Amino acid sequence: MAGLVDGKVALVTGAGSGIGLACARLFACEGARVIVSDLDEASGEAAAEAICTDGGEAKFVRCDVRDEAQVEQLIRAASDTYGRLDCAHNNAGGPAGGGPVHALSLEDWNQTLALNLSGVFLCMKHEIQVMQAQGGGSIVNTASGAGVVATPFLAHYSAAKHGVLGLTKTAARENAQTNVRINAVLPGSIDTPALRAWMDQGPEVAKGILRSQPGGRLGLPEEIAEAVVWLSSDRASFVHGESMMVDGGAISR
């Protein structure tokens, strides 16, 4: 049987580890040729190599999504390598520092918004242009549960993820008649290296995160990947502007 995205070309940013890595591997498993992108060259190269070792097709392109020139080069690389761009998962992100609003530094605020919000905007800007020209495509942005609820000590990250949802919904409406679908996934607490590093700050931090999970466990990157790849596929052809929560019921409590 053909995979969900058989014959398509997919791009994943932040694909060197965690959710991005799981998504890149599942795109390949479901039949797509994958452009793997990350700021960290070693992890990105390793991700692309792992996909190829497993029998898939992938190419690594280093990109800092905060830099529009690099984003343009990334999107061009997808078109130059495979002739088109059918699916894009804008996943690169993460907070810089943290603390209460009155103690956040302007530098951490700017860095966090540049990566998590401006980076998504820049990727969408150039992906949409390519997809409109070729007659269609699908974009899935990684937001967060922090994009719909208050997130103490991570106001900059929460503000950026709220912004991602606004971008997603607006672009989806703008493209309702262009055959370019734009949606978002909102992961909860997912077992990634980034979350583990946050939990390692102390036992109370780890306990607090686990207490917030109704099922008593962290989510898996592969569980987010299943949602991303489905949203990217033709099976989700009537899904536009959706903010899909994938958090084990944490927000609904």
Side-chain angles (χ1 to χ4, degrees):
M1 294 179 64
L4 278 175
V5 287
D6 199 45
K8 295 184 182 294
V9 175
L11 162 67
V12 182
T13 66
S17 65
I19 292 171
L21 175 59
C23 288
R25 297 189 76 159
L26 187 60
F27 269 118
C29 184
E30 292 288 349
R33 294 168 289 175
V34 185
I35 296 291
V36 172
S37 183
D38 203 281
L39 184 59
D40 184 290
E41 190 164 348
S43 63
E45 289 279 14
E49 183 177 342
I51 289 171
C52 294
T53 298
D54 289 342
E57 188 172 348
K59 177 182 178 179
F60 171 68
V61 179
R62 184 183 182 278
C63 180
D64 183 341
V65 297
R66 297 167 295 188
D67 184 326
E68 185 166 12
Q70 291 188 41
V71 171
E72 287 186 274
Q73 292 173 358
L74 172 63
I75 307 307
R76 190 178 307 117
S79 297
D80 290 348
T81 302
Y82 296 122
R84 58 187 298 109
L85 177 62
D86 301 293
C87 312
H89 180 207
N90 298 320
N91 172 72
V101 171
H102 65 274
L104 280 175
S105 71
L106 181 59
E107 180 181 5
D108 283 351
W109 172 271
N110 287 338
Q111 287 185 12
T112 299
L113 266 70
L115 176 59
N116 293 276
L117 184 54
S118 296
V120 172
F121 158 69
L122 290 173
C123 288
M124 288 174 64
K125 174 181 176 180
H126 294 282
E127 291 158 357
I128 290 170
Q129 292 174 20
V130 169
M131 290 177 178
Q132 285 181 344
Q134 70 188 17
S138 174
I139 296 171
V140 179
N141 298 319
T142 297
S144 169
V148 294
V149 296
T151 313
F153 309 110
L154 287 174
H156 51 349
Y157 183 74
S158 184
K161 293 302 186 179
H162 275 75
V164 168
L165 296 182
L167 270 174
T168 298
K169 294 173 184 178
T170 301
R173 287 293 298 270
E174 291 174 350
N175 285 276
Q177 297 184 19
T178 69
N179 201 32
V180 178
R181 295 186 303 106
I182 303 163
N183 296 286
V185 290
L186 287 70
S189 296
I190 308 301
D191 194 354
T192 63
L195 183 63
R196 286 291 176 180
W198 188 261
M199 294 171 72
D200 286 345
Q201 293 179 89
E204 289 307 312
V205 174
K207 288 178 183 178
I209 290 173
L210 288 173
R211 278 197 301 268
S212 72
Q213 304 305 299
R217 71 169 178 90
L218 300 176
L220 301 176
E222 291 77 12
E223 292 174 308
I224 307 303
E226 291 288 349
V228 169
V229 174
W230 179 79
L231 282 171
S232 301
S233 76
D234 293 339
R235 300 273 185 92
S237 57
F238 203 53
V239 183
H240 294 252
E242 174 63 23
S243 301
M244 180 180 286
M245 198 74 68
V246 190
D247 71 341
I251 299 300
S252 65
R253 68 187 188 283

